[in-house]
Amino acid sequence: MKIAVMAPANRVDEHALDAVPALAAEYGVELVIDPQSWASGGGHTWAGPDELRADTFLKYANDPSYHAIWFARGGYGSNRLFPLIFPHLEEAAKRKAYIGYSDMGFLLGALYARKIGKPIHGPMPVDINRKVGGRECAARTLAWLTKGDKSALEPGIIGTGKPAAAFNLSILAAMVGTKWLPDLADHDLLVEEVSEHLYRVDRMMFTVSNATQLAGINSLRVGTITLPDADGQADFGHSPDQIAWHWSKLMKKPYEGRALIGHDANNRVVPFGQVIPKD
C-alpha cells in the first residue's frame, strides 16, 4: 500500500514526522511525506499558500498509484482550498481513502457530500508525538487501512447496523447552511471539540440541532471536549453530556453518550458511511 502525507491546513515542524515512516513500514506501507507539509507562507501558520496546498492535494488525489492521503495535521485553512481542488478531481480521486480529523473535517465532509473516495475520521501522523500513547494512536489509522483491524475503530459504531460520521463540532457548525455539508440522514453523528469554553459548545450545538440539513440523523454522541482553562466548565454550569442531551431533545434524536474521538491519544477511527458488522 502506498500512502501520501501532506498538509492542507497548518504546517508541521520539520522533524515532527521523522518517526512515522518506520511505523508505516511495520504495516507494509510505502509512505511518501511531501515537503509541502513543512512549507510556510500564505499567512497564519499554513503549510504554504492556498495554491501550493491545493496543488499538492491534487497531485496525490489524482495519482492512481496512491491508495490514500493521510493528512499530516489539522489547524486552519483546508476549507479555503475547495474552489481550487473540487473542479479538478479526476477518476483516481474517487478510489482512495482520505484520513484526518479536526480542520480536516472540512475536506472529509465535502468529499463525502460528493461521494468522492472513502473519507475517514482518524488519527493523523503528527499524533505520533503525543507524550502518552502517541505511537499507538497513529498506528490505529494504519491498522484500519491495511488490515481492517476493528480494534482501531470507535467501538460504539460497531454492530449498530447504521452508518456513522464524526466531526469536530466547530467544523460541523461552520458547514451548516452550505453546499458542502453532506447528507447525514440515518447516520449516527459523533462530535468532539478542543480548547473551547462550554458556552461556545452550547452555541454550536444550538446551530447543529436547528440545522434542517441534519434533521435526519439517527443519533448523537459526544467525544472528548477539552476546555481552554480549568474554569471553563464551572463558568457555564452544564457538562458536555448535559449540553448534548438538552439539544438532542430538540432534535428529537437519542443522545447515546460518549464516544472515543477527540484531540487526544484515545482518538479512534470512524469511516464515514460504513456499516460495521459486529463479527
Side-chain angles (χ1 to χ4, degrees):
M1 178 177 286
K2 192 176 182 182
I3 297 177
V5 173
M6 56 82 55
N10 285 21
R11 64 180 177 267
V12 299
D13 294 334
E14 187 171 355
H15 296 290
L17 305 181
D18 286 356
V20 181
L23 176 63
E26 294 180 18
Y27 290 85
V29 168
E30 178 186 352
L31 198 72
V32 175
I33 303 176
D34 196 279
Q36 173 272 330
S37 300
W38 47 83
S40 61
H44 199 62
T45 55
W46 295 325
D50 293 349
E51 292 76 12
L52 174 62
R53 288 179 284 124
D55 288 347
T56 307
F57 178 91
L58 288 170
K59 176 171 69 174
Y60 296 111
N62 291 333
D63 187 335
S65 71
Y66 286 87
H67 299 86
I69 297 179
W70 194 10
F71 301 127
R73 62 157 298 170
Y76 171 79
S78 62
N79 55 316
R80 293 171 59 94
L81 308 186
F82 287 0
L84 300 175
I85 63 175
F86 279 97
H88 306 292
L89 290 173
E90 300 171 0
E91 190 63 30
K94 300 177 183 179
R95 298 193 295 270
K96 56 174 52 71
Y98 302 86
I99 313 98
Y101 67 102
S102 191
D103 195 70
M104 298 303 101
F106 276 121
L107 285 168
L108 299 178
L111 288 163
Y112 193 49
R114 283 150 186 76
K115 297 179 172 57
I116 297 173
K118 295 176 285 187
I120 299 170
H121 181 285
M124 295 182 286
V126 76
D127 284 313
I128 200 170
N129 297 303
R130 293 190 181 279
K131 292 182 179 179
V132 178
R135 196 174 191 277
E136 294 79 3
C137 183
R140 290 187 194 111
T141 291
L142 294 167
W144 173 250
L145 286 176
T146 60
K147 303 177 181 180
D149 186 349
K150 289 185 182 179
S151 69
L153 296 175
E154 201 291 318
I157 70 171
I158 300 173
T160 65
K162 297 289 183 180
F167 285 90
N168 173 263
L169 182 57
S170 296
I171 304 306
L172 181 63
M175 297 182 83
V176 166
T178 73
K179 64 182 180 180
W180 304 103
L181 184 68
D183 180 6
L184 297 179
D186 208 33
H187 286 58
D188 293 327
L189 176 61
L190 288 63
V191 297
E192 56 85 23
E193 191 50 82
V194 60
S195 297
E196 292 285 3
H197 287 287
L198 289 180
Y199 75 87
R200 287 186 55 82
V201 172
D202 190 63
R203 284 176 178 170
M204 291 184 285
M205 284 302 306
F206 164 81
T207 299
V208 167
S209 63
N210 281 279
T212 56
Q213 292 168 293
L214 296 173
I217 67 166
N218 180 62
S219 68
L220 175 69
R221 294 171 62 210
V222 171
T224 301
I225 306 289
T226 61
L227 307 173
D229 59 55
D231 295 327
Q233 184 162 329
D235 284 349
F236 189 68
H238 297 274
S239 70
D241 288 283
Q242 290 170 324
I243 293 169
W245 180 76
H246 173 83
W247 292 111
S248 68
K249 284 197 303 179
L250 178 68
M251 297 180 82
K252 298 181 179 179
K253 303 296 179 181
Y255 172 57
E256 297 188 342
R258 305 310 290 267
L260 288 177
I261 61 166
H263 284 64
D264 56 30
N266 288 322
N267 194 22
R268 300 303 204 269
V269 173
V270 180
F272 279 42
Q274 291 191 38
V275 177
I276 310 294
K278 188 170 183 179
D279 299 315

